[in-house]
């Protein structure tokens, strides 16, 4: 003969297990949404936490950028700048990271507007014109300082330009060797932390113009 008390306890136990499994499944689904869902369109106007920097008298200067995805903090990219060999270019980038020259000369709120997988990710248009503008702490543009460092590997930091002596605020990070840019773009630093953040940006879907896309609507999910 069945024990009513035992059956009742078994039913309670089964119900509790089902509730726990349901809660675990919900938690797992929420976590997956955080990591796989597409950033909202409004992220293009979002302002991420301030970029900051630390300078020293050594040959290298380290700066970092906090990157947000869909308005949510995602990770940090840390750069080591070749300040001893390229003091002018390195100082421009450092100051644009800290924003110490004024609100308009600050990477805060700017975006990665151009992404070419297997080549590079480009950002830094602080004028907000999707790659058509920019500025520097020296004026609209400044001269190419040196082509000493080559684009010989991934995770190098280099200045984007529109031709000879047209450096401003735009920069790019290589995601592979890019020797064809040697002698044309000033390589002035390297990524030393946040390689996964760079790769995550590189993997964003783009349109025919290498602009990040959601459906047919351009959007910029990664803000500096």
């Amino acid at each position: 003969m069945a024990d009513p008390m035992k059956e009742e306890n078994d039913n309670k136990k089964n119900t509790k297990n089902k509730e726990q499994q349901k809660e675990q499944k919900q938690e797992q689904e929420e976590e997956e949404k955080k990591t796989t869902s597409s950033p909202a369109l409004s992220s293009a106007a979002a302002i991420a936490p301030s970029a900051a920097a630390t300078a020293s008298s050594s040959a290298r200067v380290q700066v970092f950028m906090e990157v947000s995805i869909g308005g949510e903090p995602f990770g940090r990219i840390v750069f080591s700048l070749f300040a001893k060999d390229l003091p002018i270019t390195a100082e421009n980038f450092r100051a644009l990271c800290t924003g110490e020259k004024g609100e308009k000369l600050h990477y805060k709120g700017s975006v990665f507007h151009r992404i070419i997988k297997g080549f590079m990710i480009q950002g830094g248009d602080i004028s907000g014109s999707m790659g058509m503008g920019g500025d520097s702490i020296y004026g609209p543009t400044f001269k190419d300082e040196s082509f000493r460092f080559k684009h010989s590997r991934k995770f190098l930091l280099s200045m984007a330009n529109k031709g000879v002596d047209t450096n401003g605020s735009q920069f790019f990070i290589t995601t592979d060797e890019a020797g064809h840019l040697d002698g044309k773009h000033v390589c002035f630093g390297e990524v030393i932390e946040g390689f996964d953040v760079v790769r995550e940006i590189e993997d964003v879907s783009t349109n025919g113009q290498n602009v990040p896309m959601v459906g047919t609507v351009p959007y910029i999910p990664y803000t500096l």
Side-chain angles (χ1 to χ4, degrees):
M1 181 176 180
D3 186 344
M5 183 64 71
K6 184 177 182 300
E7 287 183 353
E8 184 178 354
N9 288 336
D10 289 342
N11 289 335
K12 288 182 178 180
K13 185 176 180 180
N14 290 335
T15 301
K16 185 176 181 180
N17 288 337
K18 288 180 179 179
E19 290 177 349
Q20 289 177 339
Q21 290 174 358
K22 184 177 180 180
E23 290 177 358
Q24 290 175 351
K25 184 177 180 181
Q26 289 176 340
E27 290 177 358
Q28 183 178 357
E29 289 176 349
E30 288 299 318
E31 191 63 29
E32 288 176 352
K33 286 180 181 179
K34 290 180 182 179
T35 57
T36 62
S37 59
S38 297
L41 182 61
S42 61
S43 63
I47 296 177
S50 300
T54 56
S56 69
S57 58
S58 65
R60 295 291 184 93
V61 173
Q62 291 186 8
V63 296
F64 68 83
M65 293 177 174
E66 298 289 354
V67 179
S68 67
I69 302 176
E72 296 296 327
F74 178 72
R76 174 181 293 184
I77 302 174
V78 182
F79 303 95
S80 179
L81 309 182
F82 308 150
K84 181 179 180 181
D85 297 288
L86 297 160
I88 296 173
T89 309
E91 177 58 18
N92 178 66
F93 190 81
R94 186 199 67 80
L96 291 175
C97 283
T98 65
E100 63 194 58
K101 302 294 184 179
E103 184 178 350
K104 292 184 178 181
L105 293 173
H106 198 181
Y107 282 133
K108 179 180 178 179
S110 63
V111 301
F112 286 99
H113 61 270
R114 187 172 178 232
I115 299 170
I116 304 178
K117 189 172 179 62
F119 176 29
M120 63 89 197
I121 60 173
Q122 182 175 335
D125 184 352
I126 59 176
S127 62
S129 54
M130 292 295 289
M132 299 302 291
D135 206 347
S136 82
I137 64 172
Y138 309 115
T141 61
F142 64 98
K143 292 184 177 182
D144 297 319
E145 188 171 10
S146 171
F147 297 118
R148 173 179 177 178
F149 297 100
K150 309 304 180 182
H151 301 80
S152 57
R153 55 186 171 84
K154 57 189 176 184
F155 301 123
L156 290 173
L157 177 64
S158 188
M159 293 299 296
N161 61 44
K162 297 179 180 179
V164 178
D165 297 333
T166 58
N167 300 288
S169 56
Q170 289 192 48
F171 63 91
F172 63 91
I173 302 168
T174 61
T175 57
D176 203 345
E177 182 275 335
H180 62 287
L181 300 181
D182 294 345
K184 300 176 182 178
H185 294 266
V186 178
C187 179
F188 66 99
E190 62 182 342
V191 175
I192 57 174
E193 292 180 31
F195 306 107
D196 57 329
V197 180
V198 175
R199 287 304 190 194
E200 186 73 16
I201 298 171
E202 184 190 22
D203 285 340
V204 172
S205 297
T206 60
N207 66 7
Q209 287 73 49
N210 303 310
V211 176
M213 296 288 291
V214 170
T216 57
V217 183
Y219 85 124
I220 309 297
Y222 299 90
T223 57
L224 303 180

